[in-house]
Amino acid sequence: MFGRPGKISALSLGLFVILPVFWLALLLANAGHAAEEGVTPVVEPVPTPVIYPGLEEVVPRSSQIDADAARAVATLNELKGPDEFSGQFEKQQNKWHEFQVSLKEYGPQKDWPVNRLLNVRAQADNQSRALKQLLDQVGLPLKSHEDVRKLWTERLDYWEAWRSSLEKTGAKIPRQTFNKVRSAAADVLSLGKKKSTDLLLLQEKISRLREEVLVFYEKLDAEVTTLRRAPFKRNAHPLFSADYLNQLDQVLFTRVTDGVRAAFQIDPEFFKRQGWLLAIQAVLVVALIIIFRQLEISTVEKTDDWQFIFRRPVSAALFVALAAPRLFYAALPPPLLQLTILFIATICAARLASQLLKEGNQRTLIYTLAALFVVSKTLTTLALPLPLYRIYLTAVSIFGIPFLFWLARRHRAHFKGSFDRYLFFISVSKLVLLTALIAQISGYATFAQQLIEATIGTVFLLLFSLMALRITEGGVELVFHSEIVSATRFVKNLGKGATNRFSRLFRIAIFVVAMLYLLDIWGLFDTIGAAWLFIMGLEFSIGEFHLSVKMIVLVAAVLYAAILTSWFFQSFLESQFFHGKKIDRGVRDAFKKLSHYGFVLVGFLVAMTMAGIELQNFAILAGAFGIGIGFGLQEIVNNFVSGLILLFERPVKVGDAVIIDGKWGAINKIGMRSTVVETWDRSELIVPNSQMISEKVLNWTLSSNVSRVTVRVGVRYGTDLEKVIKILNKVGDGHPSVVADPPPSAIFTDFGDSSINFELRVWVDDIKNRLTLISDLGVTIDKEFKKAGIEIPYPQRDLHLKSISQEIDVSKVPRK
C-alpha cells in the first residue's frame, strides 16, 4: 500500500471530501429530527474570560482613577441642580393657582359658552406645555447623573473583580491603594445620588402638577365635545316662560361685569412666546402700504385683480398682515387681542368687498353683516350670559327678517324682478333667521346660537377667501408681468401657462384652508389643526391593503410635483442649455419629452412606494396591465410605443411639413398617444402615432427644407423655342426665393395637342414659400411672354362631320 503513492493520494483525497460532507449531513438530519419532535437545539454562548492586568498596573491605574474622579465631581457640580429649576417650578405653580382663582370670576362652568371654554382650554394647554418643557429640562441632568452612576459602578465592580483575581494568585495586594480607589468611586456615586434624589423629587412635583393640569384640560375638552356634538339638544327654558324670566336677576348682571373683567385680562406669556409675530405684522402693514402705493403709480394698468386693492391700500395691507400670519400662532391669542384682530380684519374685508360689489344693496348687506359679526364675537368674547345673549339673537332675528325683505324688494325694483344668486342668498338668510327665532322661542338656545353665528361666519369666510384669491392671483400676474421677470428667457419659455399653474396652486391652498375653517365655524372641530389631523387620519381597507387620506394626498402631491418639476426642467433646458446652440429641433423635443417621461416615472414609483406598494408588487401590476392590453388596450399601447419610436427614430419631428391623407400641414405636437398636425387652413388633424409609423407619410422637410417647384406652361406652335427657354430661365433667376444651387432649369417636355409644353424647374429654400413662389413665377412668366409677344394658346379642336342624314335641312337649323 505504501508502495503505490498514486492510489494513496486518491484515497486520501476521497476521504478528505466525503467525511466532512457525511458529517454535515448527519448534523442536518439531527437538526431536522429535532425540529420534527418540536425540540430546538440550543447553543449556549461561551462567556469570554476577562483578563485582568498584573500587580504592577495597580498603582499607575489608581492615580488615573483619582484624576477621573476629580473630573467626574466637577462635571456633577456643573450640572444644573434642583435649585436652578425650583424657581421655574414655583413660578408655574403660582401661575396655575392664580389661573384657578381667576376662573371663579367666570361663574359656573356649566354656563360657559363655547368661546370661553376654548380660551380657557387653550390657557390650560399652554400651562401643560410649559410644564412638559420644564420636565424635559430636568430630565437632561438626570440622564447625565445616570450615565455617571453606570460608569463608576462598572469601574468599581471592575476593581473589585481585579482584586479578587490577584488574591487568587496569592499576590501581595496593596490594600491601601484599592481602598483609595473604592473611596474615590464612592464619593462620585454619593454626590450623584444626592443630586439625583433632589432632582427626582422635583420631577415628581412637576409631574403631579402637570397631571392636575391635564385632568382639567381633559374635562374642558369633554365639555367642548359635548356642546359641539349636541347642537339639537334643548338646553334652555322657552323664551317666554316663567323659568326663563326668573333667570334675569341681579346675579346675572354681576356675571356680565365679571365676564368683561375676565376678557380684559392680559396673558404676558403669550406676548413672550408670540410677540415676534405681532411685531412682524406691524412691520408688514407699513411695508405693504408702501408697496401698494408704489404699484398704484407704476403698474395700475397691468392687473385687474388688484384694482380694488389700489383703491383701498390701507385696508388691503391690514387685511393681508392680519390674516397671513394667523396660521403661525402656536396658541390662541388672549381674548381681547383676538377681538381686536377680528374687528380690524372684518372692517377691512368689508371695505375691500365694497369695491367689488357694484350694487348699493349688496354693499349695505356686507356692512350690516360685518357689524353683526363684530358684535356677536364681542359678546361671546365677553362671555355674555346665555339668557342675555338669547335676547340679542332674538332681536337679530326679529329685525333681520324685515330688513332682508326690504333689501330683496329694492333689488327686484332695480333689476326688474329677475331672480339671481343675490336673491337666493337673501332667501336662505331669511330662512336661517326664521329657524333661529323658532329655536330660541322653543328653548334650543345652542342650536339657534350656532346657526346664526355659523351662517355669518360662513359669509365672511367666503369673503375672506375671495379677498385672498384676488390678492394672490393678482400678485402672481404682477410678478410674471414685471419687466425684470418677464424679460428672462426662462420665464419666456414657461409661456402663458406659468401664471395659470401658480394661480392654480394658490387656489387649491386657499380652498383647503377655507374648507378647514368651515369645519371649525360649524362646530365640527375646535381648530383647523384638529380638522386637518382628523381628515388626514381617515383610512379604509381593501383586503389587506390600508389606504388613508394622508397617503392619497401625499401620492397626489408627489405626482403633481413630478409633473411640475418636469415642466420647469424642460423650460430650463430650452432657455439655458439649448439656447444659442445649433441643435436640431427634433433632438430637442425628443430629449425634453423623454426627460418628462423620466420625471413622471420617478414620481410614480416614489408615489407608489409611499402608498405602501413595494417594487416587487409591480410584477402583479404588470400582469394586470398585460391582461388589460389583451382585452382592449392594444391600440393605446401601440400608439404609446409608436410615439417612442417617433421620438427615437424621428421620421417626423415638430415643425415638419407633411402631407397626410392628401392634406398639407405641419407637425405641431408629438404626444403620448397621437400626433397633432396643423393644416394650412389652421385646423388641427389628430393622427394616431401608430398611423404615423405604419402608413405612408410624405415629409417635405425630413432632411432639408429645400424643395423643387415645377411650373408648367405651353406656347403656340410656331413660337421661337429658344426664346421661350431663355425667358423662363431669366424668370427663375430673378426671384429672391429661388436658390442658386442647384440653378433654375427650363426644359422642353413635349408637343401637345394645342401647344408646345415647357417646364420651369427651380429650387426654393423654404417649403413654406412654395405656394407663394408658384404664384409669383406664374405671374412673372405671363408678363414676360406678353412683352415678347409669345402667346399661350387655348385648347384647339377640329370637328369633322363624316356623314349626315338627308332628312335634316341644315339651312333650317336655328342660329343664335
PDB file of all heavy atoms in Angstrom, residues 52 65 152-168 173 175 177-186:
ATOM      1  N   TYR A  52      -7.367  40.253  33.546  1.00  0.00           N
ATOM      2  CA  TYR A  52      -7.046  41.449  34.317  1.00  0.00           C
ATOM      3  C   TYR A  52      -5.540  41.718  34.277  1.00  0.00           C
ATOM      4  O   TYR A  52      -4.732  40.795  34.123  1.00  0.00           O
ATOM      5  CB  TYR A  52      -7.490  41.269  35.773  1.00  0.00           C
ATOM      6  CG  TYR A  52      -8.995  41.167  35.908  1.00  0.00           C
ATOM      7  CD1 TYR A  52      -9.600  39.928  36.021  1.00  0.00           C
ATOM      8  CD2 TYR A  52      -9.791  42.304  35.925  1.00  0.00           C
ATOM      9  CE1 TYR A  52     -10.971  39.807  36.146  1.00  0.00           C
ATOM     10  CE2 TYR A  52     -11.167  42.201  36.049  1.00  0.00           C
ATOM     11  CZ  TYR A  52     -11.746  40.958  36.159  1.00  0.00           C
ATOM     12  OH  TYR A  52     -13.105  40.861  36.275  1.00  0.00           O
ATOM     13  N   ILE A  65      -7.443  56.899  38.289  1.00  0.00           N
ATOM     14  CA  ILE A  65      -8.774  56.911  38.895  1.00  0.00           C
ATOM     15  C   ILE A  65      -8.985  58.194  39.681  1.00  0.00           C
ATOM     16  O   ILE A  65     -10.072  58.803  39.658  1.00  0.00           O
ATOM     17  CB  ILE A  65      -8.955  55.673  39.802  1.00  0.00           C
ATOM     18  CG1 ILE A  65      -9.138  54.422  38.961  1.00  0.00           C
ATOM     19  CG2 ILE A  65     -10.127  55.846  40.749  1.00  0.00           C
ATOM     20  CD1 ILE A  65     -10.452  54.373  38.234  1.00  0.00           C
ATOM     21  N   TRP A 152     -19.303  54.667  36.830  1.00  0.00           N
ATOM     22  CA  TRP A 152     -18.480  54.446  38.024  1.00  0.00           C
ATOM     23  C   TRP A 152     -18.875  53.186  38.761  1.00  0.00           C
ATOM     24  O   TRP A 152     -18.054  52.590  39.463  1.00  0.00           O
ATOM     25  CB  TRP A 152     -18.565  55.671  38.949  1.00  0.00           C
ATOM     26  CG  TRP A 152     -17.685  56.765  38.441  1.00  0.00           C
ATOM     27  CD1 TRP A 152     -18.030  57.766  37.608  1.00  0.00           C
ATOM     28  CD2 TRP A 152     -16.293  56.905  38.709  1.00  0.00           C
ATOM     29  NE1 TRP A 152     -16.940  58.545  37.326  1.00  0.00           N
ATOM     30  CE2 TRP A 152     -15.843  58.049  38.002  1.00  0.00           C
ATOM     31  CE3 TRP A 152     -15.357  56.201  39.471  1.00  0.00           C
ATOM     32  CZ2 TRP A 152     -14.534  58.478  38.031  1.00  0.00           C
ATOM     33  CZ3 TRP A 152     -14.045  56.626  39.509  1.00  0.00           C
ATOM     34  CH2 TRP A 152     -13.652  57.760  38.790  1.00  0.00           C
ATOM     35  N   THR A 153     -20.090  52.740  38.622  1.00  0.00           N
ATOM     36  CA  THR A 153     -20.448  51.427  39.181  1.00  0.00           C
ATOM     37  C   THR A 153     -19.706  50.325  38.453  1.00  0.00           C
ATOM     38  O   THR A 153     -19.179  49.386  39.083  1.00  0.00           O
ATOM     39  CB  THR A 153     -21.964  51.215  39.069  1.00  0.00           C
ATOM     40  OG1 THR A 153     -22.647  52.250  39.767  1.00  0.00           O
ATOM     41  CG2 THR A 153     -22.359  49.867  39.645  1.00  0.00           C
ATOM     42  N   GLU A 154     -19.615  50.429  37.139  1.00  0.00           N
ATOM     43  CA  GLU A 154     -18.873  49.433  36.367  1.00  0.00           C
ATOM     44  C   GLU A 154     -17.388  49.472  36.716  1.00  0.00           C
ATOM     45  O   GLU A 154     -16.732  48.417  36.820  1.00  0.00           O
ATOM     46  CB  GLU A 154     -19.075  49.682  34.873  1.00  0.00           C
ATOM     47  CG  GLU A 154     -20.489  49.409  34.392  1.00  0.00           C
ATOM     48  CD  GLU A 154     -20.677  49.778  32.929  1.00  0.00           C
ATOM     49  OE1 GLU A 154     -19.691  50.288  32.322  1.00  0.00           O
ATOM     50  OE2 GLU A 154     -21.774  49.571  32.389  1.00  0.00           O
ATOM     51  N   ARG A 155     -16.848  50.669  36.880  1.00  0.00           N
ATOM     52  CA  ARG A 155     -15.416  50.770  37.223  1.00  0.00           C
ATOM     53  C   ARG A 155     -15.141  50.210  38.611  1.00  0.00           C
ATOM     54  O   ARG A 155     -14.109  49.534  38.830  1.00  0.00           O
ATOM     55  CB  ARG A 155     -14.961  52.221  37.140  1.00  0.00           C
ATOM     56  CG  ARG A 155     -15.101  52.816  35.764  1.00  0.00           C
ATOM     57  CD  ARG A 155     -14.516  54.199  35.658  1.00  0.00           C
ATOM     58  NE  ARG A 155     -13.054  54.167  35.616  1.00  0.00           N
ATOM     59  CZ  ARG A 155     -12.298  55.231  35.356  1.00  0.00           C
ATOM     60  NH1 ARG A 155     -12.890  56.404  35.121  1.00  0.00           N
ATOM     61  NH2 ARG A 155     -10.986  55.117  35.335  1.00  0.00           N
ATOM     62  N   LEU A 156     -16.046  50.446  39.555  1.00  0.00           N
ATOM     63  CA  LEU A 156     -15.856  49.906  40.900  1.00  0.00           C
ATOM     64  C   LEU A 156     -15.939  48.379  40.894  1.00  0.00           C
ATOM     65  O   LEU A 156     -15.130  47.696  41.554  1.00  0.00           O
ATOM     66  CB  LEU A 156     -16.913  50.495  41.832  1.00  0.00           C
ATOM     67  CG  LEU A 156     -16.810  50.098  43.320  1.00  0.00           C
ATOM     68  CD1 LEU A 156     -15.458  50.520  43.898  1.00  0.00           C
ATOM     69  CD2 LEU A 156     -17.940  50.727  44.121  1.00  0.00           C
ATOM     70  N   ASP A 157     -16.908  47.848  40.131  1.00  0.00           N
ATOM     71  CA  ASP A 157     -17.013  46.386  40.018  1.00  0.00           C
ATOM     72  C   ASP A 157     -15.762  45.801  39.362  1.00  0.00           C
ATOM     73  O   ASP A 157     -15.309  44.705  39.736  1.00  0.00           O
ATOM     74  CB  ASP A 157     -18.250  46.013  39.195  1.00  0.00           C
ATOM     75  CG  ASP A 157     -19.541  46.378  39.907  1.00  0.00           C
ATOM     76  OD1 ASP A 157     -19.513  46.580  41.127  1.00  0.00           O
ATOM     77  OD2 ASP A 157     -20.595  46.502  39.206  1.00  0.00           O
ATOM     78  N   TYR A 158     -15.220  46.508  38.392  1.00  0.00           N
ATOM     79  CA  TYR A 158     -14.007  46.036  37.725  1.00  0.00           C
ATOM     80  C   TYR A 158     -12.852  45.945  38.708  1.00  0.00           C
ATOM     81  O   TYR A 158     -12.102  44.949  38.720  1.00  0.00           O
ATOM     82  CB  TYR A 158     -13.661  46.975  36.574  1.00  0.00           C
ATOM     83  CG  TYR A 158     -12.398  46.605  35.832  1.00  0.00           C
ATOM     84  CD1 TYR A 158     -12.429  45.658  34.808  1.00  0.00           C
ATOM     85  CD2 TYR A 158     -11.176  47.200  36.151  1.00  0.00           C
ATOM     86  CE1 TYR A 158     -11.272  45.309  34.131  1.00  0.00           C
ATOM     87  CE2 TYR A 158     -10.015  46.849  35.476  1.00  0.00           C
ATOM     88  CZ  TYR A 158     -10.061  45.909  34.470  1.00  0.00           C
ATOM     89  OH  TYR A 158      -8.924  45.566  33.803  1.00  0.00           O
ATOM     90  N   TRP A 159     -12.656  46.970  39.550  1.00  0.00           N
ATOM     91  CA  TRP A 159     -11.562  46.958  40.523  1.00  0.00           C
ATOM     92  C   TRP A 159     -11.760  45.880  41.590  1.00  0.00           C
ATOM     93  O   TRP A 159     -10.789  45.245  42.031  1.00  0.00           O
ATOM     94  CB  TRP A 159     -11.411  48.334  41.166  1.00  0.00           C
ATOM     95  CG  TRP A 159     -10.613  49.285  40.320  1.00  0.00           C
ATOM     96  CD1 TRP A 159     -11.039  50.016  39.271  1.00  0.00           C
ATOM     97  CD2 TRP A 159      -9.226  49.564  40.464  1.00  0.00           C
ATOM     98  NE1 TRP A 159     -10.021  50.749  38.737  1.00  0.00           N
ATOM     99  CE2 TRP A 159      -8.859  50.503  39.462  1.00  0.00           C
ATOM    100  CE3 TRP A 159      -8.209  49.135  41.346  1.00  0.00           C
ATOM    101  CZ2 TRP A 159      -7.591  51.006  39.305  1.00  0.00           C
ATOM    102  CZ3 TRP A 159      -6.924  49.654  41.188  1.00  0.00           C
ATOM    103  CH2 TRP A 159      -6.619  50.564  40.177  1.00  0.00           C
ATOM    104  N   GLU A 160     -13.010  45.654  41.982  1.00  0.00           N
ATOM    105  CA  GLU A 160     -13.251  44.587  42.957  1.00  0.00           C
ATOM    106  C   GLU A 160     -12.929  43.219  42.353  1.00  0.00           C
ATOM    107  O   GLU A 160     -12.352  42.344  43.006  1.00  0.00           O
ATOM    108  CB  GLU A 160     -14.710  44.633  43.421  1.00  0.00           C
ATOM    109  CG  GLU A 160     -15.057  45.863  44.255  1.00  0.00           C
ATOM    110  CD  GLU A 160     -14.305  45.880  45.580  1.00  0.00           C
ATOM    111  OE1 GLU A 160     -13.929  44.783  46.074  1.00  0.00           O
ATOM    112  OE2 GLU A 160     -14.068  46.985  46.128  1.00  0.00           O
ATOM    113  N   ALA A 161     -13.327  43.027  41.095  1.00  0.00           N
ATOM    114  CA  ALA A 161     -13.005  41.751  40.446  1.00  0.00           C
ATOM    115  C   ALA A 161     -11.501  41.605  40.223  1.00  0.00           C
ATOM    116  O   ALA A 161     -10.945  40.493  40.330  1.00  0.00           O
ATOM    117  CB  ALA A 161     -13.748  41.666  39.110  1.00  0.00           C
ATOM    118  N   TRP A 162     -10.836  42.699  39.907  1.00  0.00           N
ATOM    119  CA  TRP A 162      -9.369  42.669  39.740  1.00  0.00           C
ATOM    120  C   TRP A 162      -8.694  42.265  41.053  1.00  0.00           C
ATOM    121  O   TRP A 162      -7.747  41.462  41.080  1.00  0.00           O
ATOM    122  CB  TRP A 162      -8.910  44.044  39.272  1.00  0.00           C
ATOM    123  CG  TRP A 162      -7.461  44.122  38.883  1.00  0.00           C
ATOM    124  CD1 TRP A 162      -6.573  43.088  38.768  1.00  0.00           C
ATOM    125  CD2 TRP A 162      -6.721  45.309  38.565  1.00  0.00           C
ATOM    126  NE1 TRP A 162      -5.346  43.535  38.395  1.00  0.00           N
ATOM    127  CE2 TRP A 162      -5.396  44.912  38.265  1.00  0.00           C
ATOM    128  CE3 TRP A 162      -7.038  46.663  38.508  1.00  0.00           C
ATOM    129  CZ2 TRP A 162      -4.413  45.818  37.910  1.00  0.00           C
ATOM    130  CZ3 TRP A 162      -6.058  47.564  38.149  1.00  0.00           C
ATOM    131  CH2 TRP A 162      -4.764  47.173  37.844  1.00  0.00           C
ATOM    132  N   ARG A 163      -9.192  42.816  42.133  1.00  0.00           N
ATOM    133  CA  ARG A 163      -8.634  42.492  43.449  1.00  0.00           C
ATOM    134  C   ARG A 163      -8.823  41.013  43.761  1.00  0.00           C
ATOM    135  O   ARG A 163      -7.898  40.347  44.261  1.00  0.00           O
ATOM    136  CB  ARG A 163      -9.308  43.350  44.504  1.00  0.00           C
ATOM    137  CG  ARG A 163      -8.841  43.046  45.918  1.00  0.00           C
ATOM    138  CD  ARG A 163      -9.548  43.932  46.921  1.00  0.00           C
ATOM    139  NE  ARG A 163      -9.143  43.629  48.277  1.00  0.00           N
ATOM    140  CZ  ARG A 163      -9.578  44.270  49.363  1.00  0.00           C
ATOM    141  NH1 ARG A 163     -10.451  45.269  49.214  1.00  0.00           N
ATOM    142  NH2 ARG A 163      -9.149  43.931  50.559  1.00  0.00           N
ATOM    143  N   SER A 164     -10.015  40.470  43.439  1.00  0.00           N
ATOM    144  CA  SER A 164     -10.262  39.040  43.704  1.00  0.00           C
ATOM    145  C   SER A 164      -9.348  38.159  42.864  1.00  0.00           C
ATOM    146  O   SER A 164      -8.831  37.131  43.340  1.00  0.00           O
ATOM    147  CB  SER A 164     -11.731  38.706  43.392  1.00  0.00           C
ATOM    148  OG  SER A 164     -12.593  39.464  44.214  1.00  0.00           O
ATOM    149  N   SER A 165      -9.114  38.559  41.626  1.00  0.00           N
ATOM    150  CA  SER A 165      -8.224  37.750  40.784  1.00  0.00           C
ATOM    151  C   SER A 165      -6.795  37.761  41.294  1.00  0.00           C
ATOM    152  O   SER A 165      -6.076  36.747  41.234  1.00  0.00           O
ATOM    153  CB  SER A 165      -8.268  38.259  39.343  1.00  0.00           C
ATOM    154  OG  SER A 165      -7.714  39.568  39.262  1.00  0.00           O
ATOM    155  N   LEU A 166      -6.345  38.893  41.844  1.00  0.00           N
ATOM    156  CA  LEU A 166      -4.996  38.953  42.398  1.00  0.00           C
ATOM    157  C   LEU A 166      -4.884  38.118  43.670  1.00  0.00           C
ATOM    158  O   LEU A 166      -3.852  37.487  43.935  1.00  0.00           O
ATOM    159  CB  LEU A 166      -4.610  40.412  42.679  1.00  0.00           C
ATOM    160  CG  LEU A 166      -4.401  41.307  41.453  1.00  0.00           C
ATOM    161  CD1 LEU A 166      -4.121  42.748  41.885  1.00  0.00           C
ATOM    162  CD2 LEU A 166      -3.249  40.787  40.589  1.00  0.00           C
ATOM    163  N   GLU A 167      -5.955  38.121  44.472  1.00  0.00           N
ATOM    164  CA  GLU A 167      -5.927  37.327  45.711  1.00  0.00           C
ATOM    165  C   GLU A 167      -5.844  35.844  45.395  1.00  0.00           C
ATOM    166  O   GLU A 167      -5.205  35.065  46.116  1.00  0.00           O
ATOM    167  CB  GLU A 167      -7.179  37.625  46.543  1.00  0.00           C
ATOM    168  CG  GLU A 167      -7.165  39.004  47.177  1.00  0.00           C
ATOM    169  CD  GLU A 167      -8.438  39.287  47.971  1.00  0.00           C
ATOM    170  OE1 GLU A 167      -9.423  38.512  47.811  1.00  0.00           O
ATOM    171  OE2 GLU A 167      -8.470  40.270  48.721  1.00  0.00           O
ATOM    172  N   LYS A 168      -6.499  35.432  44.282  1.00  0.00           N
ATOM    173  CA  LYS A 168      -6.451  34.023  43.928  1.00  0.00           C
ATOM    174  C   LYS A 168      -5.055  33.573  43.514  1.00  0.00           C
ATOM    175  O   LYS A 168      -4.681  32.414  43.664  1.00  0.00           O
ATOM    176  CB  LYS A 168      -7.441  33.745  42.791  1.00  0.00           C
ATOM    177  CG  LYS A 168      -8.885  33.868  43.226  1.00  0.00           C
ATOM    178  CD  LYS A 168      -9.823  33.611  42.055  1.00  0.00           C
ATOM    179  CE  LYS A 168     -11.277  33.766  42.477  1.00  0.00           C
ATOM    180  NZ  LYS A 168     -12.192  33.525  41.336  1.00  0.00           N
ATOM    181  N   ILE A 173      -1.371  42.133  47.918  1.00  0.00           N
ATOM    182  CA  ILE A 173      -2.228  43.195  47.381  1.00  0.00           C
ATOM    183  C   ILE A 173      -1.994  44.485  48.158  1.00  0.00           C
ATOM    184  O   ILE A 173      -2.007  44.483  49.394  1.00  0.00           O
ATOM    185  CB  ILE A 173      -3.708  42.791  47.476  1.00  0.00           C
ATOM    186  CG1 ILE A 173      -3.940  41.499  46.690  1.00  0.00           C
ATOM    187  CG2 ILE A 173      -4.619  43.897  46.975  1.00  0.00           C
ATOM    188  CD1 ILE A 173      -5.317  40.939  46.842  1.00  0.00           C
ATOM    189  N   ARG A 175      -3.551  46.983  49.761  1.00  0.00           N
ATOM    190  CA  ARG A 175      -4.924  47.243  50.180  1.00  0.00           C
ATOM    191  C   ARG A 175      -5.218  48.739  50.271  1.00  0.00           C
ATOM    192  O   ARG A 175      -6.338  49.197  49.992  1.00  0.00           O
ATOM    193  CB  ARG A 175      -5.171  46.582  51.539  1.00  0.00           C
ATOM    194  CG  ARG A 175      -4.960  45.075  51.488  1.00  0.00           C
ATOM    195  CD  ARG A 175      -5.293  44.428  52.832  1.00  0.00           C
ATOM    196  NE  ARG A 175      -5.068  43.007  52.777  1.00  0.00           N
ATOM    197  CZ  ARG A 175      -5.945  42.133  52.296  1.00  0.00           C
ATOM    198  NH1 ARG A 175      -7.090  42.550  51.845  1.00  0.00           N
ATOM    199  NH2 ARG A 175      -5.646  40.836  52.293  1.00  0.00           N
ATOM    200  N   THR A 177      -4.168  51.082  48.356  1.00  0.00           N
ATOM    201  CA  THR A 177      -4.468  51.602  47.015  1.00  0.00           C
ATOM    202  C   THR A 177      -5.887  51.242  46.592  1.00  0.00           C
ATOM    203  O   THR A 177      -6.636  52.074  46.074  1.00  0.00           O
ATOM    204  CB  THR A 177      -3.460  51.050  46.004  1.00  0.00           C
ATOM    205  OG1 THR A 177      -2.132  51.396  46.414  1.00  0.00           O
ATOM    206  CG2 THR A 177      -3.736  51.607  44.614  1.00  0.00           C
ATOM    207  N   PHE A 178      -6.277  49.976  46.846  1.00  0.00           N
ATOM    208  CA  PHE A 178      -7.647  49.561  46.479  1.00  0.00           C
ATOM    209  C   PHE A 178      -8.686  50.301  47.309  1.00  0.00           C
ATOM    210  O   PHE A 178      -9.762  50.663  46.803  1.00  0.00           O
ATOM    211  CB  PHE A 178      -7.798  48.043  46.652  1.00  0.00           C
ATOM    212  CG  PHE A 178      -7.279  47.257  45.484  1.00  0.00           C
ATOM    213  CD1 PHE A 178      -6.004  46.711  45.502  1.00  0.00           C
ATOM    214  CD2 PHE A 178      -8.060  47.090  44.347  1.00  0.00           C
ATOM    215  CE1 PHE A 178      -5.517  45.999  44.425  1.00  0.00           C
ATOM    216  CE2 PHE A 178      -7.563  46.371  43.269  1.00  0.00           C
ATOM    217  CZ  PHE A 178      -6.302  45.823  43.299  1.00  0.00           C
ATOM    218  N   ASN A 179      -8.382  50.531  48.583  1.00  0.00           N
ATOM    219  CA  ASN A 179      -9.330  51.295  49.426  1.00  0.00           C
ATOM    220  C   ASN A 179      -9.461  52.731  48.933  1.00  0.00           C
ATOM    221  O   ASN A 179     -10.545  53.332  48.977  1.00  0.00           O
ATOM    222  CB  ASN A 179      -8.856  51.271  50.882  1.00  0.00           C
ATOM    223  CG  ASN A 179      -8.963  49.881  51.481  1.00  0.00           C
ATOM    224  OD1 ASN A 179      -9.746  49.051  51.025  1.00  0.00           O
ATOM    225  ND2 ASN A 179      -8.152  49.618  52.504  1.00  0.00           N
ATOM    226  N   LYS A 180      -8.343  53.280  48.457  1.00  0.00           N
ATOM    227  CA  LYS A 180      -8.377  54.647  47.929  1.00  0.00           C
ATOM    228  C   LYS A 180      -9.251  54.728  46.675  1.00  0.00           C
ATOM    229  O   LYS A 180     -10.036  55.664  46.491  1.00  0.00           O
ATOM    230  CB  LYS A 180      -6.954  55.089  47.617  1.00  0.00           C
ATOM    231  CG  LYS A 180      -6.839  56.513  47.123  1.00  0.00           C
ATOM    232  CD  LYS A 180      -5.384  56.858  46.846  1.00  0.00           C
ATOM    233  CE  LYS A 180      -5.268  58.269  46.289  1.00  0.00           C
ATOM    234  NZ  LYS A 180      -3.846  58.616  45.968  1.00  0.00           N
ATOM    235  N   VAL A 181      -9.115  53.727  45.825  1.00  0.00           N
ATOM    236  CA  VAL A 181      -9.961  53.693  44.618  1.00  0.00           C
ATOM    237  C   VAL A 181     -11.421  53.551  44.996  1.00  0.00           C
ATOM    238  O   VAL A 181     -12.314  54.233  44.447  1.00  0.00           O
ATOM    239  CB  VAL A 181      -9.520  52.546  43.690  1.00  0.00           C
ATOM    240  CG1 VAL A 181     -10.523  52.351  42.562  1.00  0.00           C
ATOM    241  CG2 VAL A 181      -8.134  52.824  43.142  1.00  0.00           C
ATOM    242  N   ARG A 182     -11.704  52.643  45.989  1.00  0.00           N
ATOM    243  CA  ARG A 182     -13.090  52.457  46.418  1.00  0.00           C
ATOM    244  C   ARG A 182     -13.651  53.739  47.004  1.00  0.00           C
ATOM    245  O   ARG A 182     -14.816  54.097  46.773  1.00  0.00           O
ATOM    246  CB  ARG A 182     -13.140  51.326  47.440  1.00  0.00           C
ATOM    247  CG  ARG A 182     -14.576  50.955  47.826  1.00  0.00           C
ATOM    248  CD  ARG A 182     -14.620  49.907  48.924  1.00  0.00           C
ATOM    249  NE  ARG A 182     -13.968  48.675  48.544  1.00  0.00           N
ATOM    250  CZ  ARG A 182     -12.814  48.251  49.069  1.00  0.00           C
ATOM    251  NH1 ARG A 182     -12.179  48.982  49.987  1.00  0.00           N
ATOM    252  NH2 ARG A 182     -12.284  47.124  48.679  1.00  0.00           N
ATOM    253  N   SER A 183     -12.851  54.466  47.738  1.00  0.00           N
ATOM    254  CA  SER A 183     -13.306  55.721  48.344  1.00  0.00           C
ATOM    255  C   SER A 183     -13.600  56.781  47.277  1.00  0.00           C
ATOM    256  O   SER A 183     -14.596  57.505  47.361  1.00  0.00           O
ATOM    257  CB  SER A 183     -12.244  56.234  49.318  1.00  0.00           C
ATOM    258  OG  SER A 183     -12.620  57.494  49.834  1.00  0.00           O
ATOM    259  N   ALA A 184     -12.729  56.870  46.271  1.00  0.00           N
ATOM    260  CA  ALA A 184     -12.949  57.862  45.203  1.00  0.00           C
ATOM    261  C   ALA A 184     -14.238  57.557  44.441  1.00  0.00           C
ATOM    262  O   ALA A 184     -15.040  58.446  44.151  1.00  0.00           O
ATOM    263  CB  ALA A 184     -11.756  57.882  44.260  1.00  0.00           C
ATOM    264  N   ALA A 185     -14.444  56.275  44.101  1.00  0.00           N
ATOM    265  CA  ALA A 185     -15.673  55.908  43.389  1.00  0.00           C
ATOM    266  C   ALA A 185     -16.904  56.134  44.254  1.00  0.00           C
ATOM    267  O   ALA A 185     -17.959  56.591  43.768  1.00  0.00           O
ATOM    268  CB  ALA A 185     -15.588  54.448  42.948  1.00  0.00           C
ATOM    269  N   ALA A 186     -16.784  55.853  45.554  1.00  0.00           N
ATOM    270  CA  ALA A 186     -17.924  56.059  46.453  1.00  0.00           C
ATOM    271  C   ALA A 186     -18.287  57.537  46.554  1.00  0.00           C
ATOM    272  O   ALA A 186     -19.468  57.898  46.639  1.00  0.00           O
ATOM    273  CB  ALA A 186     -17.603  55.480  47.832  1.00  0.00           C
TER     274      ALA A 186
END
